[in-house]
Amino acid sequence: MKENAAARPLSNTELSSFCRQMSMILSAGISPLEGLSLMEEESASPEEKQLLKAMEEEYLQSASLYRSFQTVGIFPDYMLHMIHIGEQSGRLDEVMVSLASHYDREAGIAASLKNAVIYPFVMILMMIAVIFILIIKVLPIFQQVFEQLGQEMSGFSRSVVDFGIALNRYSTVCIAVFAVIAVLFVLTIYTKQGRKIAGDLAAKLGMFRNFRYKTAACRFASAMALTLSSGLDVDQSFDLAAALIDDHDFQEKIRVCREKIHEGNAFPKALSQSGIFTGIYARMLTIGFHTGSTEKMLTDISHRYEDEVDAAISRNISILEPTLVAILSIIVGILLLSVMLPLIGILSGF
């Protein structure tokens, strides 16, 4: 955990690290209280020491790791619920290992989503900046050359120069607009509500719908594997898994799946009929169900979906990069040719 951990919820990476430390402590036969004390001694951050101290004090009063985690208010509800289940079932060390893997996967998904958004956004900003500099700074130099030759720009080149003059005149407004766009972008990436709005907009675009589905399926499979392996029944597992997913369409599939299970359908058949898992994943889950390894198959499915998400992002970025470079080259070429060709024509007449 970082130095400001006590002032904000922990990131997925920090949650994974914390759960992994606790799993190692519990697996070694060390009590939770001793484990928290050891972590406090090893911590170099005053804020983290204060956090762990508060958890120790709560554990002394309640003898519950769940209550200790809950009292500091920085851990997500999903993690708290799973720790509570782990304490009740006597499988707390296994739950901690599973939670560490779960938040590792969540961190990977979050990083992939950020890369998918940040890289194109930065490329587009750079492209706009190059075009603006060209229009505001470079084209006026050509205008001066034309004036020195006793000629005037006309047509498209003149319109571009006039546009550049207007931009230069209202540069403060342009900077303010860019600042607002940058702030909105940061809010979209780093706030839960912003990510939800961006996700809803992306879901309306066909090219993002499949990507959004795979991300939701990965989280669903990971959460179901963890909850089922911790001893929860299917209904409880569905409740916790649904809380991790922002995609309304996928949540509707979960609702339909639960109805089919209540109607008497087997778990893998209900998942297949509701459209949550299809094709090879549905067959894998059916085999896992009949061989008693449903949780293992769900974990495998979540890993496969994560790999597909990463591959899709890499593929799209590899296509997007040369596309944006080509667009920038074409625009710059058109702008330069619009003034170079008339200038060459004038110079050839001398």
Side-chain angles (χ1 to χ4, degrees):
M1 294 178 290
K2 298 179 181 179
E3 292 190 0
N4 61 343
R8 58 163 177 79
L10 302 181
S11 68
N12 288 320
T13 302
E14 291 168 333
L15 290 171
S16 173
S17 175
F18 195 89
C19 291
R20 206 169 297 282
Q21 291 179 63
M22 286 303 303
S23 70
M24 293 171 64
I25 288 169
L26 296 173
S27 298
I30 302 173
S31 70
L33 182 60
E34 290 177 301
L36 291 172
S37 179
L38 286 172
M39 293 172 68
E40 181 189 356
E41 291 175 5
E42 293 296 323
S43 174
S45 163
E47 289 81 2
E48 187 174 335
K49 284 181 178 291
Q50 183 180 3
L51 172 72
L52 292 166
K53 186 67 176 177
M55 295 174 70
E56 287 181 61
E57 293 173 355
E58 178 59 34
Y59 190 88
L60 283 171
Q61 296 178 8
S62 63
S64 168
L65 196 61
Y66 161 72
R67 294 285 302 169
S68 298
F69 278 58
Q70 186 183 47
T71 193
V72 293
I74 62 171
F75 297 102
D77 292 340
Y78 177 78
M79 179 177 171
L80 294 174
H81 194 91
M82 293 310 302
I83 291 173
H84 190 43
I85 296 297
E87 281 191 316
Q88 291 180 331
S89 62
R91 302 171 63 183
L92 187 56
D93 55 339
E94 297 176 26
V95 168
M96 283 296 182
V97 172
S98 298
L99 281 171
S101 298
H102 171 77
Y103 285 112
D104 272 338
R105 195 169 298 114
E106 284 292 296
I109 292 173
S112 297
L113 290 172
K114 286 181 181 179
N115 288 337
V117 176
I118 291 175
Y119 182 82
F121 184 80
V122 171
M123 286 288 291
I124 291 171
L125 280 184
M126 290 177 62
M127 185 172 70
I128 292 173
V130 169
I131 294 171
F132 273 24
I133 291 173
L134 185 64
I135 293 174
I136 294 174
K137 299 296 183 181
V138 178
L139 292 187
I141 296 176
F142 283 96
Q143 184 185 24
Q144 294 174 8
V145 173
F146 273 85
E147 290 175 353
Q148 291 173 0
L149 295 173
Q151 302 290 330
E152 289 187 0
M153 286 185 174
S154 60
F156 177 73
S157 57
R158 181 65 192 179
S159 300
V160 173
V161 170
D162 289 341
F163 178 65
I165 293 172
L167 285 179
N168 199 23
R169 183 178 303 160
Y170 300 104
S171 57
T172 304
V173 176
C174 294
I175 293 173
V177 170
F178 276 115
V180 170
I181 293 174
V183 170
L184 290 175
F185 177 74
V186 171
L187 292 175
T188 300
I189 295 296
Y190 293 102
T191 64
K192 184 176 181 180
Q193 186 64 24
R195 289 193 295 270
K196 181 179 182 300
I197 294 173
D200 291 340
L201 292 175
K204 297 178 181 179
L205 302 176
M207 62 181 298
F208 293 108
R209 192 173 296 119
N210 189 45
F211 174 79
R212 186 172 166 85
Y213 163 76
K214 288 181 178 180
T215 302
C218 177
R219 286 176 171 161
F220 174 78
S222 174
M224 290 297 293
L226 175 55
T227 51
L228 291 174
S229 64
S230 301
L232 273 69
D233 60 34
V234 174
D235 273 339
Q236 290 174 309
S237 298
F238 273 130
D239 287 336
L240 289 174
L244 295 175
I245 297 169
D246 298 328
D247 190 336
H248 298 303
D249 293 337
F250 202 94
Q251 288 181 342
E252 176 62 19
K253 290 181 179 181
I254 293 175
R255 186 191 66 78
V256 172
C257 182
R258 296 180 71 167
E259 289 181 353
K260 291 186 177 296
I261 290 176
H262 291 159
E263 292 171 359
N265 290 287
F267 179 63
K269 185 178 180 180
L271 289 172
S272 177
Q273 290 180 343
S274 61
I276 292 178
F277 297 130
T278 57
I280 187 174
Y281 296 130
R283 291 194 293 273
M284 287 172 59
L285 199 54
T286 300
I287 294 171
F289 182 77
H290 290 297
T291 58
S293 56
T294 302
E295 295 87 353
K296 183 178 181 301
M297 283 298 180
L298 284 168
T299 301
D300 190 26
I301 289 171
S302 70
H303 284 303
R304 287 172 179 252
Y305 271 121
E306 185 178 12
D307 290 341
E308 288 186 16
V309 168
D310 289 337
I313 290 174
S314 299
R315 183 171 59 252
N316 289 333
I317 288 179
S318 66
I319 295 172
L320 189 61
E321 181 178 3
T323 301
L324 290 176
V325 171
I327 292 173
L328 175 60
S329 301
I330 291 171
I331 293 174
V332 171
I334 291 173
L335 291 174
L336 291 177
L337 287 175
S338 68
V339 294
M340 288 295 294
L341 291 178
L343 182 59
I344 292 171
I346 294 172
L347 293 176
S348 63
F350 285 96

